[in-house]
Amino acid sequence: MLNPGQQLYQKLRQELAQTDFFKPDLGHHLRRLFLYGGLHLISFWGVFYFAHSGWRWVALLGLALSNLQFYFFAHDAGHYSLSRRKIINFLVGEFSMSFLGGGSFHFWQHKHNLHHRYCNEEKNDPDVEALFVKFYADDTTERPGWIRWIVKNQAVLVWFLAMFHNFDYLRLSWLYIAKHRKLCQREMVLAPLHFCVYFFLPAVVLGWQMAVVNYLFITAVTGILLVKLFAVNHIGMPTIPPDHNLSFLEQQVITSRNVLVPRWLDDYFGGLNYQIEHHLFPWVPISRYRGASPVVKAFCQQHGIPYHEENLFSAMMGVERHLAHMAATEKSA
């Protein structure tokens, strides 16, 4: 027998089932694949063709932006929203994240599933546990003095720290692949192939110095884009103790923030600006979230569940205020 929280969630699902919310959207996936796959190929060519002109930086930015979109492809694959066939999702995810990104799709999926299961839950959600950033006041992580100085200034340094996001993800990915070789057999081929194509090939053609600069630029910019997009989804929203008594519906809605942007920016956000709908129904194609948002919002308001949405500027200011407030709770270096 379902408890009251489960019954409420099922009621919301039934309301959304009366729309096209749960229908596949192959056309949306194919459009993104051709558009951003084309951008990636053109940008990769441009890195070589415009190597000695200012257009080189445009090409590098194009690679970072297309990498971001294929990160979203991997994200959707990790939630099995691309296809009902599990193997297709895994192949797309591994190609996008392991070959194009150089990391481990399986590591990311493991970590991200924990985030969804324990969203903003202190001690359990890996996305609110960090050494260089403090997300909640009761975080008792022991930090060396120089890191405590960074945390005390995290509201100012957050976007500088974001440049290192992807480098840390790559480090953790390689450790995960080495530890789970049987699970990551394809990634053991795809991740090294990534470095052959995106680092060693440019090094041979363009020289080591330019190859290093190019790779560092793309990785840093992609990290900044990812952190900027995902920070506004949860930072500044309530964190909850592990022994909370919230239902799944309440936890996912209360700890998430929707970011209101024009429709043409939905691709840039990977549809995840509708974070509430995504956390409630992560297996649904991201193209369906905008249409479902008014239904979910009205349902939450009807049942007294706070539904938080704000524009991008306001959300970013909320992130800054929260980080500054948490920095004030960290003991001095």
Side-chain angles (χ1 to χ4, degrees), residues 116-306:
H116 271 260
R117 181 176 180 179
Y118 302 108
C119 187
N120 267 30
E121 198 169 298
E122 297 168 6
K123 305 296 184 183
N124 290 328
D125 181 355
D127 285 4
V128 298
E129 299 295 324
L131 183 62
F132 289 89
V133 182
K134 187 173 185 177
F135 293 107
Y136 59 95
D138 292 334
D139 179 1
T140 57
T141 302
E142 288 293 330
R143 298 176 170 92
W146 67 278
I147 295 182
R148 292 203 301 272
W149 180 88
I150 291 176
V151 171
K152 292 288 288 185
N153 296 278
Q154 63 183 16
V156 177
L157 297 175
V158 60
W159 305 120
F160 170 76
L161 295 174
M163 291 193 299
F164 301 96
H165 174 273
N166 268 23
F167 293 103
D168 191 51
Y169 161 69
L170 291 176
R171 177 184 67 85
L172 294 173
S173 288
W174 302 333
L175 292 174
Y176 188 88
I177 291 173
K179 187 176 180 180
H180 301 85
R181 295 185 180 184
K182 186 174 181 180
L183 176 65
C184 303
Q185 289 181 2
R186 288 187 293 266
E187 295 179 2
M188 291 176 66
V189 176
L190 291 172
L193 187 60
H194 161 84
F195 288 98
C196 289
V197 173
Y198 293 95
F199 181 75
F200 290 110
L201 176 61
V204 171
V205 177
L206 304 175
W208 289 101
Q209 183 177 8
M210 184 174 289
V212 169
V213 171
N214 287 354
Y215 196 84
L216 292 178
F217 178 85
I218 294 169
T219 307
V221 170
T222 303
I224 293 171
L225 292 173
L226 284 170
V227 171
K228 187 174 183 179
L229 293 177
F230 288 114
V232 295
N233 292 335
H234 297 289
I235 298 179
M237 301 306 295
T239 57
I240 53 180
D243 58 351
H244 68 86
N245 59 359
L246 296 173
S247 68
F248 170 80
L249 174 64
E250 291 170 323
Q251 178 174 358
Q252 303 304 324
V253 175
I254 290 171
T255 59
S256 301
R257 174 199 285 120
N258 279 8
V259 181
L260 303 176
V261 297
R263 183 183 293 272
W264 61 271
L265 278 176
D266 280 356
D267 269 12
Y268 175 66
F269 279 85
L272 300 178
N273 44 312
Y274 290 97
Q275 190 70 188
I276 294 173
E277 287 69 29
H278 171 63
H279 265 260
L280 289 173
F281 306 100
W283 69 91
V284 171
I286 57 176
S287 58
R288 303 296 189 195
Y289 292 149
R290 178 177 282 271
S293 178
V295 177
V296 177
K297 180 180 180 180
F299 183 90
C300 290
Q301 291 174 338
Q302 178 185 353
H303 294 280
I305 303 173

